[in-house]
Amino acid sequence: MNGRRRRIDVTVRQMEIDDLSVAYRLGESLFTSEEYPILYRTWDPYEVTGLFTSDPEFCLVAEVEDKVVGFVLATTVVKEGTAWKRYGYLEWIGVAEGFQHARLGLRLYRRLEERFREEGVRMIIADTVIENEKAIGFFHRLGFTATGRHVWLAKTLRREDSREEKPEAVAPKATNRRSTRRELRVAQGATVTLPAGEEQVNDEP
């Protein structure tokens, strides 16, 4: 062998409904709680189905031998009264571990940028945490520039014991009320996570 890498035939195409569960499971394997706690908490099936429903033209997958090994999910934001008018927002990108050196992240991004241009987008936004050096390097190679430091904030909400007041003796037993207790859930971060994908995508443009 001469040490050269085998060329991989990749197809980048628009996501289809049958790809939703595959993309979600791939994201689950990439955005782990150990490596990316914020991304782990914000990645759920609704991230995939929601963007696929609202912006299917900006949801793409990379396929190798009929197997989905990468994805990118994005949307657009219209801001009237601004010079740019329409922004592209790259929210998630991920590539399976065995293909992270095959430039799949780059190919997915290039196709997404073409779609954005066709829709009149003049600026693309992506964000990540400051510690995600691989993601930042990935974006810099694509021509992105950092505009400031991104800070993630999180607060854990604890349930409080609620005490039920006993009815007074003179009160009639008309109905038997039950006090409902709400489960407090933490929504940590926003649905803006291109970082993970980027850190997972370790391409050389």
Side-chain angles (χ1 to χ4, degrees):
M1 297 181 64
N2 56 12
R4 297 176 61 184
R5 292 181 180 177
R6 181 174 63 90
R7 179 177 177 81
I8 300 176
D9 292 328
V10 182
T11 300
V12 175
R13 59 171 175 80
Q14 187 165 322
M15 183 178 287
E16 299 175 355
I17 193 166
D18 291 340
D19 301 320
L20 299 183
S21 61
V22 179
Y24 171 69
R25 289 195 299 270
L26 176 55
E28 282 278 275
S29 69
L30 296 174
F31 314 139
T32 62
S33 58
E34 293 79 13
E35 289 189 88
Y36 312 105
I38 294 296
L39 303 179
Y40 169 78
R41 289 177 172 88
T42 56
W43 177 254
D44 61 43
Y46 297 103
E47 286 295 289
V48 184
T49 58
L51 287 167
F52 176 77
T53 301
S54 62
D55 299 280
E57 66 273 28
F58 304 127
C59 297
L60 310 173
V61 295
E63 195 174 60
V64 175
E65 297 180 353
D66 298 324
K67 179 181 179 180
V68 172
V69 295
F71 64 85
V72 62
L73 306 174
T75 186
T76 58
V77 179
V78 178
K79 298 289 288 184
E80 297 295 341
T82 64
W84 297 106
K85 298 292 184 185
R86 194 175 183 89
Y87 297 84
Y89 189 13
L90 199 170
E91 298 205 33
W92 297 89
I93 185 170
V95 173
E97 291 186 2
F99 297 88
Q100 290 177 6
H101 298 284
R103 301 168 64 88
L104 298 194
L106 176 63
R107 299 185 198 193
L108 284 163
Y109 172 79
R110 293 300 188 199
R111 182 63 58 84
L112 176 65
E113 186 175 288
E114 290 176 7
R115 295 283 178 94
F116 277 150
R117 289 179 182 276
E118 292 169 359
E119 292 297 319
V121 168
R122 298 182 60 196
M123 177 181 288
I124 303 174
I125 299 171
D127 73 324
T128 186
V129 291
I130 194 67
E131 295 83 5
N132 195 341
E133 296 179 357
K134 291 181 180 179
I136 293 172
F138 175 84
F139 289 122
H140 280 172
R141 291 193 297 273
L142 292 173
F144 284 75
T145 56
T147 58
R149 179 166 182 161
H150 189 85
V151 178
W152 289 98
L153 302 175
K155 177 181 179 180
T156 300
L157 303 181
R158 303 182 182 280
R159 291 187 297 175
E160 296 180 358
D161 293 332
S162 60
R163 297 180 179 178
E164 298 183 7
E165 294 184 2
K166 295 182 179 180
E168 297 180 7
V170 294
K173 281 189 175 181
T175 58
N176 187 9
R177 288 188 189 175
R178 291 184 180 179
S179 62
T180 59
R181 179 181 297 176
R182 293 182 178 179
E183 296 286 343
L184 301 179
R185 298 182 180 182
V186 183
Q188 301 195 14
T191 57
V192 292
T193 55
L194 154 93
E198 297 343 313
E199 186 155 327
Q200 296 302 329
V201 183
N202 196 8
D203 313 18
E204 293 294 335

